[in-house]
Amino acid sequence: EDKVVQSPLSLVVHEGDTVTLNCSYEVTNFRSLLWYKQEKKAPTFLFMLTSSGIEKKSGRLSSILDKKELFSILNITATQTGDSAIYLCAVGAFVGNNFNKFYFGSGTKLNVKP
Amino acid sequence: DAGITQSPRYKITETGRQVTLMCHQTWSHSYMFWYRQDLGHGLRLIYYSAAADITDKGEVPDGYVVSRSKTENFPLTLESATRSQTSVYFCASGAGVGELFFGEGSRLTVL
C-alpha cells in the first residue's frame, strides 16, 4: 500500500529558531515529491523535487530529496510567526499517459511563537 | 479570473440528502482531483480525472460519484450523505506531472 508519513505531527518553536520537517514515503512508481504550505485555506505550492541530492531553495525555506532512503526534508531557518501553518508533503506516482496521482501525508502543524 | 473555484464554500445538510460540490477551472488543465481533508489524515484522494469522460477512483471513493462532461468542470456528488462525510473538500487541477493547484475548499457538515 502506498503511503506518505510526515513527522513530527506538530511542532512549537519561537521566532528565529530553525526547524526541520520530515517526509518519508513508500510509493510505487515514484515520480516527484512536492511540499505545500496550508494556512486557513487552500494549500499553496512550495517546492517540487524529482532528483536526489539537489537542494531547492526559496528564501528561508529549502528542501532536499533522498530517493535511496525514500525521504525528504523541509528546512525553515530564522522562523517567523507568518510561517505558522500546516506543511504538507505529497508524492506523485506515475499512473500512465504522463500523469501523476498524488498521495499526501497527514501534515506537520508548525506554530511559531513570538 | 483565471483559477479554480469551488462552490458552495459552506454547506450544511442532513443525513440521506444528495449534495453536489462544484469545481470549475479556467486553465484547461487535463487533470482534476477531489480530496477530502480530515484532522489527522491529511488530504485523501476521492476521485481523479485525466480528461473529459475519463475518471477513476482514489483512496476513499465509497459514497461519492463524479462526472466530467466538460474539461473545465468536475462535480462531486454525495448521493446519500452520511455523518462520516463531514469534511473539508478540496478540488485541484494540474497539467500532468507538475504541481497541483487547489481551490479554496468546500466545508460540508452532515447532521
Side-chain angles (χ1 to χ4, degrees):
Chain A
E1 182 183 335
D2 295 322
K3 63 180 179 180
V4 178
V5 178
Q6 291 186 245
S7 64
L9 293 181
S10 65
L11 192 57
V12 180
V13 300
H14 288 92
E15 276 193 314
D17 288 348
T18 294
V19 297
T20 298
L21 309 183
N22 304 292
C23 176
S24 64
Y25 62 91
E26 293 178 27
V27 174
T28 306
N29 296 323
F30 171 91
R31 286 296 297 272
S32 59
L33 187 144
L34 288 75
W35 285 97
Y36 284 85
K37 177 182 182 182
Q38 185 180 26
E39 296 169 273
K40 294 185 184 297
K41 47 186 180 178
T44 54
F45 175 75
L46 294 174
F47 298 111
M48 183 170 78
L49 304 154
T50 56
S51 300
S52 274
I54 299 175
E55 185 182 56
K56 291 277 183 93
K57 196 170 173 63
S58 177
R60 297 176 294 102
L61 277 66
S62 63
S63 183
I64 197 161
L65 173 66
D66 185 329
K67 289 168 73 173
K68 181 179 178 183
E69 299 298 328
L70 307 182
F71 78 92
S72 173
I73 60 172
L74 174 68
N75 279 323
I76 308 174
T77 59
T79 52
Q80 303 171 357
T81 55
D83 295 326
S84 295
I86 296 173
Y87 290 84
L88 295 164
C89 173
V91 173
F94 180 70
V95 173
N97 296 321
N98 204 34
F99 169 58
N100 283 357
K101 187 165 65 172
F102 291 92
Y103 296 94
F104 280 80
S106 55
T108 293
K109 186 174 183 180
L110 175 64
N111 184 7
V112 181
K113 294 192 169 184
Chain B
D1 291 337
I4 182 165
T5 54
Q6 294 183 230
S7 63
R9 294 289 313 281
Y10 301 92
K11 176 76 176 177
I12 300 174
T13 190
E14 295 178 337
T15 301
R17 300 250 177 159
Q18 182 178 82
V19 176
T20 296
L21 306 179
M22 304 300 293
C23 179
H24 175 80
Q25 53 106 353
T26 60
W27 290 301
S28 298
H29 285 158
S30 295
Y31 305 101
M32 296 188 75
F33 306 81
W34 274 107
Y35 288 90
R36 61 177 288 174
Q37 187 173 34
D38 306 290
L39 195 64
H41 288 280
L43 289 163
R44 290 183 292 174
L45 181 63
I46 304 171
Y47 270 95
Y48 62 99
S49 169
D53 297 322
I54 301 174
T55 62
D56 206 349
K57 296 177 181 179
E59 303 165 84
V60 288
D62 293 344
Y64 302 95
V65 174
V66 294
S67 62
R68 196 164 176 210
S69 57
K70 293 184 178 181
T71 300
E72 60 267 29
N73 297 323
F74 191 38
L76 175 73
T77 297
L78 290 66
E79 293 190 306
S80 178
T82 64
R83 289 191 181 136
S84 65
Q85 293 176 309
T86 292
S87 186
V88 180
Y89 291 85
F90 285 100
C91 179
S93 72
V97 299
E99 66 186 273
L100 292 181
F101 297 86
F102 285 87
E104 292 291 301
S106 295
R107 183 177 292 276
L108 175 67
T109 301
V110 182
L111 301 177

